[in-house]
Each structure stands twice: as C-alpha cells, then as structure tokens.
Amino acid sequence: MPLPKDILRCASLTRLYIGVWNFPDIPTAHRPAFPNLHELGLFHSMVEDKKFNALLAHCPELKILSFALSYNYPSCLRIKSRSLRVVLEWVCTFDKIIVDDAPCLERLLFESFSEQRRPVKIVHASRLEVLGFLDFQLHTLEIGGTVIRAGMTMKDGALLPSLKILAVKVRFSHDKEVKMLHTLLRCFPCLETLHIMSIPSWSADRGDCAETWNSMGSSNCLSHLKTFVLHGFRGLDREQLFDSYILEKGIKTLGIVCGDSDGVLLKGNAPSGGSSGSGISVCPASSCWSFQHAIDLSVEDPFCVLRRDK
C-alpha cells in the first residue's frame, strides 16, 4: 500500500514506526518533513534508495534508525546524518551498508540475513563505540577506504580507536575465519568488551591453530580489553586455543552464555584460566540481544547482561 503523503505533514512526531508500506516521494526542496523526529523504524517497507536518502535529509534531529525485514528496497543503506546515534539492520537484504558521514553515530548493529556477502563500509564515524554482530560469512568490512582482509598489514586509516564493544560470529573450524578474526581485532586498539559467538559448522575441528594466535603475542592488540563474553561455547579445540589467548591479555571478567539454567551453566566446560588464582572473575551471562535492546541507548551492552551476583 502507498503510504499517505499526509504523514509528511506530522511535524510534531518524535517517534514513528511503520510497516508494510511503499514510501512516497519527498520533494528535495520541501522543508524538513519530520523536524522533531528522534526515532524511526521501517518494517517490511519499500523505500527506494533516492527516497530513503531524501527522507534522511528531512529528519535533522533523528537519533535512532532501524530497518527490519526490508527486502531489496532500499538496496543500499547509506547513512549520512549529523544527528544519528544508532543504526540497526534486522534481517534485511541490503546489497551494502555505507556509513558515509555520521559524526554522532555510536552504535552500528546487525542481525543479518542474506544469500550473498555484503560490504559494510565505514567512511566517517569518529564516535562509533558498538559494532556487531559481524558475521564473516555475510560481511566484508571496510574502514576508511581499506578493505579488511585476513593477514593484511594494518594501516592507521583502518583503525577505529573509538570502538569499545565488538561482537563477532565465528566458525572456528574455518581457517579463513580464524585468520580474519586475528586481523580484525587489530583494527580496534581501545576495545574494552569482546563478544564471540561460536557458530557450529559441518567442517571438522582440526584443532591446531596455535601459531595464528602466537604471532600476535607481543603486539599491543587488546591491551585495553576488560571483558570477554563467550556465546555458544562448546569446548572445541580451536575455541579453547582462542580463549587461552584472550585470557592471557589481562582481562578482568569472563562471561559465559551457555543456557538458561545456572546449574547447566556453572557445571559446563568453562575454559581454563578462570580460577580465583588467575585474578579473572568468571560469571554467568544472559543474552539480551533483541531488536528492542539494540535500539535502547539505556542498555549499556546490547549483546548480554553479566550476572556478577551469581
């Protein structure tokens, strides 16, 4: 259904969520359509690229932008906004995501679905603090014009020193993904919280990839890391190699998301290094990853809650 153009005259709106609409044209010479809009959610709606770009230009106070179940329209999610703080893509099929110019952007979040890999390009986002879930099977990351590739020599322009929380989905049985994780972590020199979601794979866990992590031993990578959270930990050899590498980095808190039951969680195969003698606090963690938490700036970490009292 075509969205009634009268909606563009609702200047008093501060929050707008719409679903299953075809968005109308917005005249480029038109005054701001939504001068007071702070939050916009588009669900399973058709918004052509040029219409979306015009819409974003007519929302000068927009803080939170979310797309859910959007297929093909827009084909490219291009972010150019002086006010946006949160951008969320939830099960959409964008060809690419480009953060062109977003000086206030703090969170760039994905729950991606696609049959092909898509680029995520971050051109200018000097205040970006939270990024994820990146999925190596679905995303290629470009920072400051540099495409991040496994094993590459890192350049200053490919670093994001503002990033504090990173969430990554990894298939540890895939050599390329292990090497890509190794390279990716070097892009964020001030990272404080790392979430790793281990994704099962049909490929066999071949076990020995210690050389990959040993090659990073003397670098300053992860020197600011305080919290490491494991999602879906199954105790595979390659998972444990990575966990051992992280635990040697002086982290203070290890969180483990294994299930709903504290009994199951605490009796599970937690990685070695979490004893009281190591100085690391091991605690259960509850996943809070959802559409609602992702767009809620009052939620400090949208990926999980550490239950330190347990």
Side-chain angles (χ1 to χ4, degrees):
M1 295 289 291
L3 185 70
K5 290 189 177 182
D6 286 348
I7 195 73
L8 302 179
R9 300 187 179 95
C10 297
S12 61
L13 279 175
T14 58
R15 300 175 72 241
L16 174 62
Y17 283 81
I18 61 174
V20 201
W21 291 103
N22 188 345
F23 221 86
D25 289 319
I26 300 178
T28 55
H30 197 280
R31 68 179 185 276
F34 300 114
N36 298 301
L37 194 66
H38 289 180
E39 193 169 335
L40 174 62
L42 300 171
F43 291 75
H44 199 57
S45 294
M46 297 176 63
V47 189
E48 296 175 14
D49 291 44
K50 64 178 182 179
K51 293 180 182 180
F52 171 69
N53 295 336
L55 173 64
L56 204 57
H58 283 73
C59 301
E61 300 297 325
L62 192 63
K63 302 291 190 297
I64 298 171
L65 172 66
S66 56
F67 275 90
L69 303 171
S70 292
Y71 305 125
N72 302 323
Y73 296 97
S75 61
C76 172
L77 180 58
R78 182 180 293 273
I79 304 302
K80 189 173 183 180
S81 168
R82 308 294 294 180
S83 60
L84 270 174
R85 297 176 62 189
V86 178
V87 173
L88 171 64
E89 175 263 317
W90 197 269
V91 195
C92 300
T93 59
F94 302 123
D95 291 337
K96 62 183 69 173
I97 298 172
I98 303 174
V99 181
D100 207 356
D101 184 18
C104 293
L105 188 66
E106 300 171 23
R107 299 185 175 190
L108 180 59
L109 305 171
F110 317 97
E111 183 59 38
S112 294
F113 168 80
S114 180
E115 296 181 355
Q116 61 183 13
R117 288 168 66 83
R118 72 184 68 169
V120 176
K121 300 182 180 182
I122 301 175
V123 180
H124 181 219
S126 57
R127 293 179 58 182
L128 188 65
E129 294 186 357
V130 185
L131 178 64
F133 270 99
L134 282 175
D135 187 332
F136 292 143
Q137 197 167 66
L138 296 180
H139 301 126
T140 59
L141 182 63
E142 179 179 318
I143 302 175
T146 300
V147 178
I148 309 304
R149 295 187 174 90
M152 66 179 288
T153 300
M154 199 56 59
K155 303 175 182 178
D156 289 344
L159 303 181
L160 269 181
S162 61
L163 202 77
K164 300 294 189 295
I165 300 175
L166 172 68
V168 185
K169 295 181 179 180
V170 185
R171 294 151 193 82
F172 279 99
S173 59
H174 292 197
D175 287 335
K176 188 173 182 180
E177 293 201 15
V178 171
K179 292 176 181 177
M180 187 64 197
L181 178 60
H182 170 279
T183 302
L184 180 71
L185 293 176
R186 293 158 54 201
C187 297
F188 312 115
C190 298
L191 193 67
E192 295 179 0
T193 300
L194 174 62
H195 293 268
I196 294 293
M197 179 180 287
S198 182
I199 303 297
S201 172
W202 292 110
S203 301
D205 178 20
R206 294 186 290 277
D208 184 14
C209 61
E211 185 176 332
T212 299
W213 302 113
N214 288 339
S215 67
M216 284 183 69
S218 60
S219 72
N220 292 325
C221 177
L222 304 180
S223 60
H224 292 80
L225 192 66
K226 300 175 182 176
T227 302
F228 175 43
V229 183
L230 293 164
H231 301 250
F233 177 77
R234 290 165 293 140
L236 301 179
D237 289 343
R238 287 192 162 207
E239 290 176 339
Q240 299 228 38
L241 283 169
F242 176 71
D243 300 339
S244 297
Y245 167 76
I246 294 294
L247 293 176
E248 292 173 356
K249 291 298 178 180
I251 67 169
K252 301 300 182 184
T253 304
L254 170 65
I256 305 176
V257 181
C258 287
D260 297 330
S261 168
D262 290 348
V264 172
L265 181 61
L266 297 177
K267 292 177 183 177
N269 294 322
S272 60
S275 65
S276 59
S278 69
I280 299 174
S281 172
V282 181
C283 64
S286 297
S287 175
C288 68
W289 181 232
S290 67
F291 183 94
Q292 289 81 5
H293 284 138
I295 62 175
D296 187 348
L297 282 167
S298 69
V299 176
E300 183 178 353
D301 186 335
F303 303 109
C304 88
V305 175
L306 297 175
R307 305 208 299 277
R308 302 177 191 271
D309 57 320
K310 298 292 185 180

